[in-house]
Amino acid sequence: MNRDNICDYVISMFRFYALKGEPDISEIRNMRNELSTAAILDLVAVDNTLRILKKEGEAETINAIRAIYFILPNKNLRKGDISNRITNYSLKNFDGERTIWRRLARARRICAEERNLRIN
């Protein structure tokens, strides 16, 4: 499977968001004194992504993000962790793995666009 050029960074953005307790925009504003500008922009991009997906009625995508990227955000990912989580999520929710991969790729792309990252 081809990986996009922003995959690892956006996954780390999602995990950082989970590590901070999934803050909403007002909580993110209160963190301005303790976090760098880049970290604040990352949190805002993830929050905006989740809002966009919610507005579009993509509850399954949001559930997949939470079940796959938000698990143990303080521990480093090992090889195969995300694939294993996708397989488990697929079996529990009777959804195809390929569909889940596509949903997550779309969420990463939206997040990268919200963060104004260059996407190839």
Side-chain angles (χ1 to χ4, degrees):
M1 177 179 193
N2 291 335
R3 290 174 51 102
D4 50 28
N5 61 330
I6 47 93
C7 182
D8 293 335
Y9 182 67
V10 175
I11 289 172
S12 69
M13 287 169 55
F14 280 118
R15 294 175 57 76
F16 181 64
Y17 182 81
L19 184 65
K20 290 298 180 181
E22 300 183 42
D24 61 8
I25 198 71
S26 63
E27 293 171 335
I28 294 170
R29 283 188 190 123
N30 294 335
M31 295 180 190
R32 285 190 175 170
N33 294 332
E34 62 187 67
L35 297 174
S36 69
T37 303
I40 295 293
L41 292 173
D42 289 349
L43 293 174
V44 170
V46 173
D47 187 61
N48 288 344
T49 299
L50 295 176
R51 286 174 194 244
I52 289 168
L53 292 171
K54 185 176 182 180
K55 186 174 142 184
E56 292 176 354
E58 294 287 335
E60 286 299 320
T61 303
I62 294 170
N63 292 338
I65 290 168
R66 287 195 170 110
I68 295 162
Y69 294 150
F70 288 9
I71 303 292
L72 300 172
N74 56 342
K75 294 194 176 192
N76 290 331
L77 288 172
R78 295 180 308 186
K79 185 174 183 172
D81 279 351
I82 291 178
S83 295
N84 291 336
R85 291 175 188 174
I86 287 175
T87 301
N88 291 335
Y89 183 81
S90 170
L91 293 172
K92 288 179 185 174
N93 294 291
F94 305 105
D95 211 352
E97 287 184 38
R98 186 68 207 135
T99 302
I100 297 167
W101 280 110
R102 272 193 306 271
R103 287 179 181 156
L104 293 175
R106 181 170 178 271
R108 287 193 311 268
R109 186 164 192 85
I110 291 170
C111 191
E113 289 171 356
E114 288 297 311
R115 180 62 170 86
N116 293 320
L117 297 176
R118 185 184 315 177
I119 304 169
N120 291 341

